[in-house]
C-alpha cells in the first residue's frame, strides 16, 4: 500500500498501480531475463473472528460494551471496594454465568467458522511443477501456479483457463455458490496456447483484484523461440472463479491469478450488518425505566436515612456507638457510599439473566423452524434454514413484504408457448389434427394467406437455433441411440406437418439461462434442431433432415444494460449474418419502423397473458462492414482500460438497421399456492410490493394471477409511457400525475380503520400502483433536492394507500432503494424482502428480515438471507404461525422478567423503612444469587419455547389474528404499565401480609418468635411460588416439559432451602439460614400465611379469567363449532390482550 502510494506521488508508472503481472508457472519471460518473483497474498481463507490468543480479551471487550453487562460489572466492583450489605458473589455469580454462557455460544460459532475455513484451506489440489503432478494443500497455492482440476471439483482460487479436455477448448462450470446462477456457464481457453502447458512461456497482465463477478480485463503475452510475443485478450469468459464447480468436462488446467482473500468470492463476502429487532429496542427502553426506579429508590432511602439519623439519639444509639474512624469520615463521602450501598442492595431489579434467557430462547427457538416438516420440499429434499436466530420475533411484526417475481412468485421453469413470424401467430398443439401449425392472425387478413412465407419461417427458426450460448450435453452410448431414434421421427412437410411430433426423448442442453433452453426446445417442435457447437462451427438439423453448418465468428454477449444479445455467423455460401434477440424495448428502436407495429400487437398481447417475450431480428453484413466490426472487437478486447465501454460502442454500431423477423412467448408458471399465500398475507394486514426486472405487462398479469390486483382494482400507472407529453417537461408531468394520484388515493379516500384491508370490506375503492425503473429514478433523483423530497413523500403516501404496488424494470440497486425508503418512512414499518436470485441480495440485506428461496437461480440469496425456505407457499406458515408465536412468547418473557424482579426487590425496599435504613438485606445471599439463575429461570424459558396460546391451524385459517399483535402491541407502554403495577401489587401483598402475621408474637409451639431471616424466608417462599404459579396460569399449551420445569423448580427450591439450611458449611463466615427453613415450616401459622397470600395474590387474575366473556371473531367461530357438537378445551377462556401478553383464546393440547 505504501509503495503504491509512493508510486502515485512520484509519478510512477500508473499501469503498475492498476495492474499486476503474473508469470505462468513461475518461469521468467523471456527466459534470459532475471526473474524476481512478485509477492502476492497466499491462498488462505479466513472468515473466523477470534484466535486462541485473542478470544478472551476480544470477547470480553465486546460483551462489556453491552450496557447491562457493563452496569453489573460496575456494581460488582463497588461491592468489592465499598463495604456493602451484600456479598460480591450475589452480583458476580449471575454476571459470570451470563458472560460464560454467551462466550461459550460465540466461541462455538467461531469454532464452526474455523472448521469450515480449515476444510477449504486443507483441501488437496494438484499443482504442475517441472513436469510433475504434486498434491498440495489449497492454502499453499501461489499466484502463478499451474493447477489441474477434474470434473465436479471446486476451483481453489481464481484461474485463467489454459487447457481443457474438450476438443473445442471449452469447459462448463456452475457458479451457484457465487452469483446464485445454477445453470451451466461456458468458459473458453486462451486462443493459441500450447497443448503442453509445461512448455508454455507466458506472462499475464491483468487488473488488480476487484469484487465484480462479471468483469475481468487482462491480456496474455505468449513468448515463442525469440519471436515477438503474441498478445491475446483475456475476459470473464477465460476466468474460472474460486467456489465455482467444473461440470461436463473431464479435466482442465489453469494458472492462478487471484488467491486467498483477493479472490472475487472473498471480496464479495460482506459481513451482514447487525439487524436489531423491535423487541430489543423495547427491552432497552424498559431497562432505562427500571434504572430510573432503581436510582430513585436509592436516593429516597439515602435521604430518609440521614433525615432519620438527624433526630436526637438516632444517629448514635447507646448500643451502637461509632468508632473514631467513622466519626472522622467526610459526611458527603459517607452519603455517597451509602447511596452506592443502596444501589447494590436494589440492583437485582435490573434482570441481567434476562439477556442470556432471551439469547437461549432465540437460539433454541430457531430449531422449530428447521424441524418443521411442513417446510420440507420433496423436489430438492431440503427444509427451511435459519441463518439468523436474532430476528425470530420480527417475523410476527411484518408490515411490508417486498417480493421478486421470477422464481419467487413464479417457478422459473420456462416453457415455449408460441411465436409470431411477420405478424402471424404460431401456437404448437400436441395433436396430429389439421390444426398443427395453424396460425391465428393478429389482424384482418385474407383467409388465403394464413401463414408467413416459408423462407421467413425458416429464417426465424434458424435465428432461434443460432442466437444463444446453449451447449449440447455429451450423450452416452445409450443416449446416442436414442438420439438417432429421435431424428428418425422428424416428419416431412405439409399443411399439418409444420411442426415435429413430440419427441419421445428430450435432448439434453446446458445454458446460462432457462429462457435460452426453452427457445431451443421450441425450435425443435417446429422442425429445427440444434446439434451443438464444435470447433467454432454451429450445426443445426433443418426440416428436411439436412445438417446446416455455420461458422461462429463473434458472440455479442447479453448484458442487463443492452438487454439483448447477438451472434455473427458465416454460412456455407459465404454470407455473413447477424442474428439478434432481446427485449422489445431494446430491439424496436434498432429495426425498420414499418415492421414494428404488426409484431408489437403480438408482444403486448403475450405480455398481457403473462408470458415472457423476446423479439428476434437479423441483418446481412457486407465484407467491409464485417472487417471493420471484427477489427474493432479485437482491439476493444485487448484494451486493459475501459474495455466494456469500447465493446459497447462497437455492439451498438453493428446492431443497427436490422430487420425484425418475429417474437417468442415463453411461460413462467406461478409457484404452487402463490395466490392463496398472497391473499392470506394481505388478509393479515401486510402490504405487498412486487419488485421485478421484467416488463410491465408480464408483471401485471402475474399480479392479477396472484390476486394482488383484482378486476375491480383501479390501477394508477406512473411509467415512461404515462409521462410522455408533447408540451410539458417530464418533471412537470411527473408532478401533475403524482398530485392527481395523491388526490384520488389519499385525499378523496374514505378514512380506513386500522387493520382493515380489502379482504375485510367491499366498501371503498381499491387502488393498485405501477411504476417502472426509469420513473423511479426520476422520483428519487430529481434535479432539485426540495422537489425530490416532495416527490418521494407523495409517492410514499400514494403507495401506502394502495392494496398492492408493482415496480417493474427494476435494477437490483433500485430494489434496495425502495426497501430503504419504506423502512425509513414515518412509523418505521417492519419490512421483509423475499427473493431467489443474486439480483435480490441487495434488497434482502436492506430489509429488516430477509428471506431467500431455494430456487433454480442458485444459493446467493439463501446465503445472504436471515431465513431460507424451499417455496413461496411456506412463507404463510413462517409468518402467520411461527412469527406470531415467537413474538407472543418473547414479549411475555420480557414483561414477565421485569415483573418478577420488581416483585423480588420491592419487599427489600419496603424493609428499609422498618430497619432504620441500615441497608440490612431481607433475603439471604444464596437466595439473592439463585433467584434468577435457578428458581425462576427454567419455567419462563420452557414457556417461551413451547407456548401455543392459539393452535397453529387456527392461526393459519384466520389470518386476521396476526393483526392483534401488530405494531409491537404487546411491548407498548400500556401493557408494560400493567405488568409493573401487578409487580407492585404482589410486592405489597408479600411484604405487608407477612408483617401482619408477625404482629402475633407467638408463632411457634414453644412460644418463641421468628427472627428477621425467618421473615425474609417466608416472603421469599411466597414470592417464588406466586411468580411460578402466575406463569402456570398463563400457560395454555401444556406439555410434559412445562410440568417438569414448573413443579420441578418449586420442588428444587424447597429441597435447596432444606439442604442449604440443614448443613453447617465450613466456607461460610456466618450461616444465617441454619435450620431457618425447617423451623419456619414447623409453624402452622407460617403454612397458613404462605397459602393465603399466594391465593390472595393470584385471586384477581383467576376471577378475571373466569368471569370475563370471550371476545373476538375467532372465539365466536370456536363457540359455533362447540355448539355444533365439537369439543372445546376447558382452558380456552379469553383474557384481555393487555392483561395477558397474548391473544385471548387458546386451544390447549395437554
Amino acid at each position: 500500500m505504501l509503495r503504491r502510494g509512493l508510486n502515485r506521488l512520484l509519478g510512477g508508472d500508473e499501469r503498475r498501480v492498476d495492474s499486476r503481472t503474473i508469470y505462468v508457472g513461475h518461469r521468467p519471460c523471456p527466459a534470459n531475463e532475471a526473474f524476481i518473483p512478485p509477492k502476492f497474498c497466499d491462498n488462505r481463507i479466513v472468515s473466523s473472528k477470534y484466535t486462541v490468543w485473542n478470544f478472551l480479551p476480544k470477547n470480553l471487550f465486546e460483551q462489556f460494551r453491552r450496557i447491562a453487562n457493563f452496569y453489573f460489572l460496575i456494581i460488582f466492583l463497588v461491592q468489592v471496594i465499598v463495604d456493602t450489605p451484600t456479598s460480591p458473589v450475589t452480583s458476580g455469580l449471575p454476571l459470570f454465568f451470563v458472560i460464560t454462557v454467551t462466550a461459550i455460544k460465540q466461541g462455538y460459532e467461531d469454532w464452526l467458522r474455523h472448521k469450515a475455513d480449515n476444510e477449504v484451506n486443507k483441501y488437496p489440489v494438484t499443482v504442475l511443477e517441472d513436469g510433475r503432478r504434486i498434491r498440495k494443500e489449497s492454502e499453499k497455492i501461489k499466484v502463478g501456479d499451474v493447477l489441474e482440476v477434474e470434473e465436479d471439483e471446486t476451483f481453489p482460487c481464481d484461474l485463467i483457463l489454459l487447457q481443457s479436455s474438450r476438443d473445442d477448448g471449452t469447459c462448463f462450470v456452475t457458479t451457484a455458490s457465487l452469483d446464485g446462477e445454477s445453470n451451466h456457464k461456458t468458459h473458453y481457453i486462451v486462443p493459441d496456447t500450447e497443448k503442453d502447458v509445461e512448455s508454455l512461456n507466458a506472462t499475464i497482465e491483468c487488473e488488480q483484484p476487484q469484487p465484480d463477478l462479471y468483469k475481468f480485463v487482462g491480456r496474455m503475452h505468449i513468448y515463442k523461440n525469440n519471436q515477438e510475443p503474441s498478445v491475446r485478450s483475456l475476459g470473464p469468459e477465460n476466468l474460472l472463479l474460486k467456489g465455482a464447480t467444473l461440470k461436463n468436462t473431464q479435466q482442465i488446467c489453469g494458472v492462478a491469478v487471484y488467491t486467498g482473500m483477493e479472490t472475487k468470492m472473498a471480496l464479495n463476502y460482506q459481513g451482514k450488518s447487525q439487524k436489531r429487532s423491535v423487541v430489543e429496542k423495547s427491552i432497552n427502553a424498559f431497562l432505562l425505566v427500571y434504572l430510573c426506579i432503581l436510582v430513585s429508590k436509592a436516593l429516597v432511602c439515602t435521604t430518609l436515612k440521614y433525615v432519620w439519623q438527624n433526630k436526637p439519639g438516632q444517629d448514635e444509639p447507646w448500643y451502637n456507638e461509632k468508632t473514631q474512624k467513622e466519626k472522622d469520615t467526610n459526611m458527603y463521602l459517607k452519603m455517597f457510599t451509602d447511596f452506592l450501598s443502596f444501589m447494590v442492595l436494589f440492583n437485582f431489579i435490573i434482570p441481567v439473566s434476562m439477556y442470556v434467557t432471551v439469547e437461549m430462547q432465540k437460539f433454541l427457538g430457531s430449531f422449530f423452524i428447521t424441524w418443521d416438516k411442513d417446510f420440507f420440499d420433496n423436489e430438492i429434499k431440503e427444509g427451511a434454514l435459519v441463518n439468523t436466530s436474532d430476528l425470530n420475533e420480527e417475523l410476527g411484526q411484518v408490515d411490508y413484504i417486498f417480493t421478486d417475481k421470477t422464481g419467487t412468485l413464479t417457478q422459473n421453469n420456462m416453457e415455449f408457448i408460441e411465436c409470431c413470424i411477420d405478424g402471424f401467430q404460431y401456437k404448437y398443439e400436441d395433436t396430429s389434427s389439421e390444426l398443427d401449425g395453424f396460425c391465428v392472425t393478429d389482424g384482418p387478413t385474407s383467409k388465403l394467406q394464413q401463414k408467413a412465407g416459408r423462407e421467413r419461417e425458416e429464417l426465424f427458426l434458424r435465428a432461434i437455433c443460432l442466437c444463444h450460448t446453449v451447449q449440447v450435453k455429451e450423450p452416452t452410448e445409450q443416449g446416442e441411440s436414442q438420439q438417432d431414434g429421435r431424428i428418425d421421427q422428424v416428419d416431412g412437410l405439409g399443411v399439418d406437418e409444420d411442426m415435429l411430433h413430440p419427441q419421445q426423448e428430450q435432448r439434453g442442453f446446458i445454458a446460462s439461462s432457462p429462457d435460452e433452453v426453452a427457445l431451443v426446445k421450441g425450435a425443435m417442435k417446429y422442425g429445427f434442431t440444434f446439434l451443438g457447437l464444435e470447433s467454432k462451427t454451429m450445426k443445426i438439423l433443418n426440416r428436411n433432415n439436412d445438417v446446416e453448418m455455420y461458422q461462429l465468428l463473434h458472440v455479442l454477449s447479453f448484458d442487463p444494460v443492452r438487454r439483448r444479445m447477438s451472434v455473427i455467423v458465416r454460412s456455407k455460401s459465404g454470407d455473413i449474418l447477424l442474428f439478434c434477440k432481446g427485449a422489445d424495448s431494446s430491439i424496436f428502436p434498432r429495426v425498420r419502423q414499418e415492421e414494428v407495429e404488426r409484431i408489437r400487437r403480438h408482444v403486448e398481447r403475450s405480455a398481457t397473458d403473462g408470458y415472457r417475450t423476446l423479439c428476434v431480428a437479423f441483418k446481412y453484413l457486407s465484407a467491409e462492414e464485417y472487417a471493420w466490426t471484427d477489427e474493432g472487437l479485437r482491439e476493444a478486447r485487448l484494451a486493459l482500460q475501459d474495455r466494456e465501454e469500447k465493446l459497447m460502442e462497437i455492439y451498438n454500431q453493428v446492431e443497427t438497421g436490422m430487420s425484425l423477423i418475429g417474437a417468442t412467448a415463453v411461460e413462467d408458471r406461478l409457484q404452487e399456492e402463490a395466490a392463496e399465500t398472497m391473499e392470506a398475507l394481505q388478509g393479515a394486514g401486510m402490504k405487498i410490493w412486487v419488485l421485478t426486472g421484467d416488463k410491465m405487462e408480464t408483471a401485471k398479469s402475474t399480479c392479477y394471477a396472484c390476486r394482488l390486483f383484482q378486476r375491480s382494482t383501479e390501477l394508477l400507472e406512473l411509467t415512461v409511457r404515462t409521462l410522455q407529453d408533447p408540451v410539458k417537461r417530464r418533471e412537470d408531468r411527473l408532478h401533475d400525475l403524482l398530485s392527481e394520484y395523491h388526490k384520488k388515493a389519499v385525499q378523496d379516500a374514505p378514512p380506513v380503520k386500522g387493520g382493515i384491508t380489502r379482504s375485510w370490506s367491499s366498501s371503498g375503492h381499491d387502488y393498485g400502483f405501477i411504476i417502472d425503473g426509469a420513473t423511479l429514478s426520476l422520483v428519487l433523483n430529481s434535479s432539485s433536492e426540495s422537489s425530490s423530497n416532495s416527490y418521494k413523500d407523495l409517492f410514499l403516501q400514494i403507495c401506502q394507500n394502495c392494496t398492492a404496488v408493482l415496480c417493474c424494470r427494476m435494477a437490483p440497486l433500485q430494489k434496495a432503494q425502495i426497501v430503504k425508503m419504506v423502512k425509513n418512512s414515518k412509523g418505521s414499518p417492519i419490512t421483509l424482502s423475499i427473493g431467489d436470485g443474486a439480483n435480490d441480495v441487495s434488497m434482502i440485506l436492506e430489509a429488516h428480515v430477509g428471506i431467500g428461496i431455494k430456487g433454480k437461480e442458485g444459493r446467493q440469496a439463501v446465503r445472504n438471507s436471515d431465513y431460507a425456505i424451499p417455496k413461496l407457499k411456506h412463507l404463510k406458515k413462517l409468518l402467520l404461525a411461527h412469527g406470531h408465536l415467537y413474538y407472543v412468547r418473547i414479549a411475555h418473557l420480557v414483561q414477565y422478567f421485569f415483573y418478577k424482579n420488581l416483585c423480588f426487590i420491592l419487599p427489600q425496599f419496603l424493609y428499609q423503612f422498618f430497619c432504620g435504613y441500615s441497608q440490612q438485606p431481607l433475603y439471604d445471599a444464596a437466595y439473592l444469587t439463585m433467584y434468577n439463575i435457578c428458581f425462576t429461570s427454567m419455567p419462563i424459558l420452557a414457556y417461551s419455547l413451547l407456548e401455543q396460546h392459539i393452535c397453529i391451524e387456527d392461526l393459519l385459517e384466520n389470518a386476521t389474528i396476526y393483526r392483534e399483535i401488530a405494531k409491537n402491541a404487546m411491548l407498548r407502554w400500556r401493557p408494560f404499565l400493567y405488568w409493573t403495577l401487578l409487580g407492585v401489587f404482589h410486592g405489597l401483598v408479600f411484604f405487608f401480609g407477612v408483617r401482619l402475621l408477625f404482629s402475633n408474637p407467638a408463632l411457634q409451639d414453644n412460644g418463641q418468635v421468628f427472627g428477621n431471616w425467618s421473615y425474609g424466608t417466608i416472603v421469599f417462599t411466597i414470592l417464588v411460588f406466586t411468580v411460578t404459579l402466575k406463569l402456570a396460569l398463563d400457560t395454555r399449551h401444556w406439555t410434559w416439559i412445562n410440568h417438569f420445569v414448573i413443579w420441578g423448580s418449586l420442588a428444587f427450591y424447597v429441597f435447596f432451602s432444606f439442604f442449604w439450611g440443614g448443613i453447617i458449611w465450613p466456607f461460610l463466615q456466618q450461616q444465617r439460614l441454619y435450620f431457618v427453613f425447617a423451623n419456619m415450616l414447623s409453624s402452622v401459622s407460617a403454612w397458613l400465611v404462605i397459602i393465603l397470600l399466594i391465593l390472595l395474590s393470584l385471586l384477581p387474575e383467576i376471577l378475571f379469567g373466569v368471569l370475563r366473556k370471550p371476545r373476538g371473531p375467532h372465539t365466536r367461530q370456536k363457540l359455533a363449532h362447540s355448539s355444533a357438537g365439537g369439543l372445546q378445551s376447558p382452558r380456552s377462556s379469553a383474557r384481555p390482550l393487555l392483561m395477558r401478553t397474548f391473544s385471548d383464546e387458546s386451544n390447549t393440547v395437554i
Side-chain angles (χ1 to χ4, degrees), residues 18-124:
D18 294 330
S19 64
R20 57 167 56 185
T21 301
I22 297 151
Y23 295 85
V24 177
H26 307 290
R27 287 184 287 277
C29 299
N32 55 5
E33 281 190 5
F35 175 59
I36 303 171
K39 290 186 178 180
F40 302 107
C41 74
D42 58 23
N43 199 40
R44 279 184 305 150
I45 290 291
V46 180
S47 64
S48 54
K49 194 175 179 181
Y50 307 107
T51 65
V52 175
W53 311 110
N54 72 7
F55 173 72
L56 206 58
K58 193 173 181 180
N59 186 263
L60 288 176
F61 173 73
E62 287 178 352
Q63 290 210 55
F64 284 118
R65 286 170 65 188
R66 182 177 264 177
I67 294 173
N69 289 348
F70 184 71
Y71 162 77
F72 272 92
L73 178 66
I74 297 297
I75 292 291
F76 173 70
L77 294 176
V78 167
Q79 285 180 290
V80 171
I81 297 166
V82 181
D83 182 21
T84 55
T86 56
S87 165
V89 175
T90 56
S91 58
L93 194 63
L95 179 64
F96 175 75
F97 174 73
V98 169
I99 295 294
T100 304
V101 169
T102 308
I104 289 170
K105 176 178 175 279
Q106 292 178 351
Y108 173 70
E109 289 173 350
D110 202 61
W111 174 76
L112 291 178
R113 284 192 285 268
H114 271 284
K115 192 177 173 185
D117 288 347
N118 278 334
E119 282 182 13
V120 174
N121 293 332
K122 303 295 182 185
Y123 185 81

Side-chain angles (χ1 to χ4, degrees), residues 302 305-306 333-342 919:
T302 307
K305 176 178 181 176
Y306 283 90
L333 181 62
K334 186 74 175 72
M335 288 177 72
F336 180 67
T337 55
D338 279 336
F339 173 75
L340 289 179
S341 296
F342 280 118
Q919 297 141 22

Side-chain angles (χ1 to χ4, degrees), residues 41-44 123 125 127 136-145 147 156-157 159 256 258-260:
C41 74
D42 58 23
N43 199 40
R44 279 184 305 150
Y123 185 81
V125 295
V127 180
K136 282 187 177 181
E137 292 176 346
S138 174
E139 64 184 359
K140 293 180 181 175
I141 296 172
K142 298 175 183 174
V143 171
D145 281 350
L147 279 73
C157 57
L159 304 167
Y258 304 128
T259 51

Side-chain angles (χ1 to χ4, degrees), residues 779-894:
V779 171
L780 298 180
N781 310 312
S782 181
S783 53
S784 64
E785 192 175 332
S786 58
S787 60
S788 177
N789 287 334
S790 67
Y791 290 165
K792 211 182 290 186
D793 292 341
L794 286 172
F795 170 67
L796 262 177
Q797 289 176 35
I798 295 165
C799 292
Q800 286 167 350
N801 275 47
C802 292
T803 53
V805 177
L806 167 62
C807 305
C808 47
R809 299 293 199 199
M810 290 282 121
L813 188 61
Q814 287 181 312
K815 292 183 177 184
Q817 285 177 327
I818 285 186
V819 175
K820 187 175 183 179
M821 181 174 65
V822 174
K823 189 171 81 168
N824 297 333
S825 64
K826 187 180 177 183
S828 301
I830 304 299
T831 57
L832 178 148
S833 291
I834 180 167
D836 71 319
N839 61 334
D840 303 315
V841 169
S842 53
M843 74 170 182
I844 284 173
L845 291 175
E846 184 62 51
H848 290 97
V849 183
I851 310 280
I853 288 189
K854 300 177 177 181
K856 298 188 178 182
E857 290 189 29
R859 295 303 165 91
Q860 185 77 343
V862 169
R863 285 206 334 275
N864 285 278
S865 65
D866 303 306
Y867 303 88
I869 50 178
K871 294 276 179 67
L872 176 75
K873 66 177 182 179
H874 299 135
L875 185 65
K876 179 181 175 182
K877 186 175 184 183
L878 186 68
L879 298 185
L880 300 188
H882 287 282
H884 184 106
L885 292 174
Y886 280 135
Y887 176 76
V888 167
R889 291 164 181 166
I890 203 164
H892 197 284
L893 183 152
V894 171

Side-chain angles (χ1 to χ4, degrees), residues 16 94 116 161 182 271 334 348 380 389 554 563 637 842 975 1006 1085 1105:
R16 288 177 63 86
L161 180 59
S182 60
K334 186 74 175 72
F348 290 94
I380 60 173
S389 60
H554 288 286
R563 296 183 65 82
R637 283 173 180 152
S842 53
N1006 57 9
S1085 303

Side-chain angles (χ1 to χ4, degrees), residues 576-615:
I576 299 174
L577 296 99
L578 178 140
F579 290 110
C580 180
K581 72 170 186 230
D584 57 314
S585 57
S586 69
I587 296 286
F588 285 166
R590 299 183 167 272
V591 299
R592 301 188 191 104
Q593 290 309 299
E594 62 270 16
E595 301 170 335
V596 169
E597 200 53 44
R598 59 190 177 198
I599 303 294
R600 189 198 299 275
R601 287 198 300 269
H602 170 84
V603 169
E604 288 177 353
R605 193 190 64 243
S606 296
T608 305
D609 291 340
Y611 301 140
R612 293 163 65 91
T613 58
L614 284 175
C615 294

Side-chain angles (χ1 to χ4, degrees), residues 457-468:
E457 286 180 3
E458 294 192 349
L459 183 64
F460 175 81
L461 294 170
R462 282 191 188 95
I464 291 180
C465 277
L466 294 171
C467 189
H468 55 71

